[in-house]
Amino acid sequence: MEKIVFLDSASIIADIRRPAFPHAWEDYPATNPDQVLARLGDASIVITNKVALRRETLEQLPGLKMIAIAATGTDNVDIACCRERNIVVSNIRNYSVHTVPEHVFMLMLALRRNLLAFRNDLRDGAWQRAGQFCLFTHPVRDLHGSTLGLIGHGAIGQAVGRLASAFGMKVLIAEHKGATSVRSGYTNFEHTLRDSDALSLHLPLNPDTRNLIGTREFGLMKSGALLINTARGGLVDESALLAALQSGRIGGAGFDVLDTEPPRPGNPLLDLDLPNFILTPHIAWSSREAMQTLADQLTDNIDAFSRGSPQNRVA
């Protein structure tokens, strides 16, 4: 009988259906790195959202057959080692194709219409002191007629593009940075930066994409442009972002992710009190509906593995 161990079950708020085949189930709300080996000693299937499973750990788990990642990202698991050891790895796909795009547009609308700045004015009594019925202390800009640049055009990027079109925005899809040719339907990376009123990032984090946006890229953007990042914090050089915001080089930024999570005290973005910067705590993916879809797919992946036909397989 298979033994399934969920290492960080508190990371998902959902009704997790148990697999259909006979099994023993053990879950822990959270697991520290020094607890992993002891908890997986006799496990054949492990579920992890963010707990890391590196080579030095996997090599000490001869009975492990499957890793079910309760997320799309796989950077917390040594995929190469799993392939060497014939450990099946499955992830979750397309569960957040509604909730992340909605979060993107929440950030974009709030920044484009200066929501935080107007809220601060209200708190300071500016409207109450105004000589007319409305307050014109900050510009309000429409999304309609503006240009959105998409960097990354997978399922979520495509969904963001559809919403943008519904708002009446022009959508540019960026070609890979440094590409020597541009595919049909795509726009040169640098031209996308120059021509967009807002940029939205939808890429995985890997050696090719780390610090994709830095000082040089901010220098290419329009002075009023917005940068939205609901993907991975490491895609953007945080020190360059801070400088671009403080100097007014760009119009604003809405981030749901940071390079280190949870963030450590001293990260200057945590204390950045500007009306054109919004930081949310990695929640774009986490609507209750999306988490339930994730949980259902997680169990489906494990059931498919037990039938000998793994789905959403990455190793």
Side-chain angles (χ1 to χ4, degrees), residues 123-276:
R123 287 177 172 174
D124 293 340
W127 194 18
Q128 298 88 314
R129 297 189 300 269
Q132 59 179 0
F133 68 97
C134 58
L135 200 62
F136 291 142
T137 46
H138 308 281
V140 173
R141 304 297 302 274
D142 293 335
L143 291 180
H144 185 277
S146 65
T147 298
L148 173 66
L150 293 174
I151 303 180
H153 199 235
I156 293 176
Q158 292 174 37
V160 171
R162 288 192 292 271
L163 285 182
S165 295
F167 270 93
M169 302 179 78
K170 177 182 178 180
V171 178
L172 301 179
I173 305 167
E175 184 54 90
H176 294 303
K177 185 177 181 179
T180 56
S181 61
V182 178
R183 291 168 286 174
S184 175
Y186 286 73
T187 300
N188 173 275
F189 182 83
E190 293 185 352
H191 291 173
T192 303
L193 296 183
R194 291 191 181 105
D195 295 342
S196 296
D197 299 295
L199 290 163
S200 190
L201 306 183
H202 302 286
L203 296 168
L205 180 62
N206 57 46
D208 293 329
T209 61
R210 179 168 289 282
N211 292 332
L212 185 81
I213 305 295
T215 300
R216 180 177 179 275
E217 288 69 34
F218 284 120
L220 294 173
M221 292 169 61
K222 292 182 179 181
S223 60
L226 306 177
L227 178 63
I228 309 296
N229 187 7
T230 55
R232 289 290 185 266
L235 297 175
V236 179
D237 181 329
E238 291 181 354
S239 61
L241 171 64
L242 181 66
L245 288 168
Q246 290 179 328
S247 67
R249 180 63 197 80
I250 63 171
F255 272 50
D256 185 55
V257 287
L258 290 176
D259 195 9
T260 299
E261 296 175 348
R264 301 291 181 256
N267 185 323
L269 294 179
L270 293 175
D271 301 319
L272 186 59
D273 187 15
L274 292 175
N276 63 342

Side-chain angles (χ1 to χ4, degrees), residues 18 62 84-86 96 116 133 146 171 221 225 229 258 268 283:
R18 299 295 173 86
E84 293 170 14
R85 300 181 67 82
N86 295 317
S96 57
L116 295 186
F133 68 97
S146 65
V171 178
M221 292 169 61
N229 187 7
L258 290 176
I283 55 169

Side-chain angles (χ1 to χ4, degrees), residues 113-122 135-140:
R113 305 186 76 85
N114 266 306
L115 181 66
L116 295 186
F118 279 115
R119 184 191 63 179
N120 291 340
D121 285 350
L122 284 171
L135 200 62
F136 291 142
T137 46
H138 308 281
V140 173

Side-chain angles (χ1 to χ4, degrees), residues 52-107:
L53 296 172
R54 305 300 182 201
R55 178 178 293 273
E56 58 268 24
T57 299
L58 296 172
E59 288 178 343
Q60 299 180 68
L61 299 171
L64 189 60
K65 302 176 184 176
M66 181 197 188
I67 300 172
I69 302 177
T72 300
T74 62
D75 49 299
N76 59 320
V77 174
D78 190 326
I79 300 299
C81 181
C82 289
R83 290 188 178 122
E84 293 170 14
R85 300 181 67 82
N86 295 317
I87 300 171
V88 170
V89 182
S90 293
N91 69 343
I92 308 298
R93 303 180 188 179
N94 302 338
Y95 71 97
S96 57
V97 292
H98 303 299
T99 187
V100 171
E102 288 184 15
H103 201 90
V104 167
F105 273 83
M106 177 194 72
L107 294 171

